[in-house]
Amino acid sequence: MPILLDDNALKVLKSEQTSWSFETDGRGMNIELKFDGFPSAIGFIMQVAIIADKMNHHPEWSNVYSTVKIRLTTHDAGGITDLDEALAKKIDKIALQLGAISI
């Protein structure tokens, strides 16, 4: 079962994941990434999809041409959990490797 992050853990996460924005109610974290084109954005989505599926933790996301918006939350837990934290770190690593810019 995912572990809901308490206020202290959320504070640490916010300081580490500076490219992410956090909803004021603590229920979700968001990022918007810009890639150099549609193929790069879709390649990113595919890489994240494989990891998310292995984790059995799937993001909410949308894609318009070279932009990908992602929201992470754990619905069953009612907010941000250790799964969201782990997936966010993996997303950041892939985005960096592909040269994405957080917007």
Side-chain angles (χ1 to χ4, degrees):
M1 180 76 179
I3 299 169
L4 190 64
L5 300 185
D6 63 18
D7 289 339
N8 288 332
L10 276 173
K11 185 177 180 179
V12 171
L13 181 62
K14 289 176 185 179
S15 71
E16 293 174 347
Q17 303 301 122
T18 57
S19 58
W20 291 78
S21 63
F22 292 80
E23 297 169 8
T24 55
D25 60 6
R27 292 192 174 265
M29 52 192 295
N30 302 276
I31 193 168
E32 187 171 352
L33 298 166
K34 178 82 170 169
F35 294 85
D36 64 1
F38 182 71
S40 295
I42 294 301
F44 166 80
I45 288 171
M46 292 303 302
Q47 288 184 52
V48 173
I50 291 167
I51 291 168
D53 204 47
K54 287 179 182 175
M55 293 176 69
N56 194 30
H57 189 59
H58 305 94
E60 298 173 13
W61 55 15
S62 65
N63 163 245
V64 177
Y65 186 62
S66 61
T67 302
V68 178
K69 294 180 184 180
I70 302 171
R71 179 177 186 259
L72 297 179
T73 188
T74 304
H75 295 281
D76 294 347
I80 300 171
T81 67
D82 57 334
L83 284 177
D84 299 303
E85 179 177 12
L87 185 53
K89 289 177 180 179
K90 292 174 191 269
I91 287 169
D92 284 349
K93 184 177 179 182
I94 296 167
L96 181 65
Q97 290 171 343
L98 294 176
I101 299 168
S102 179
I103 55 174

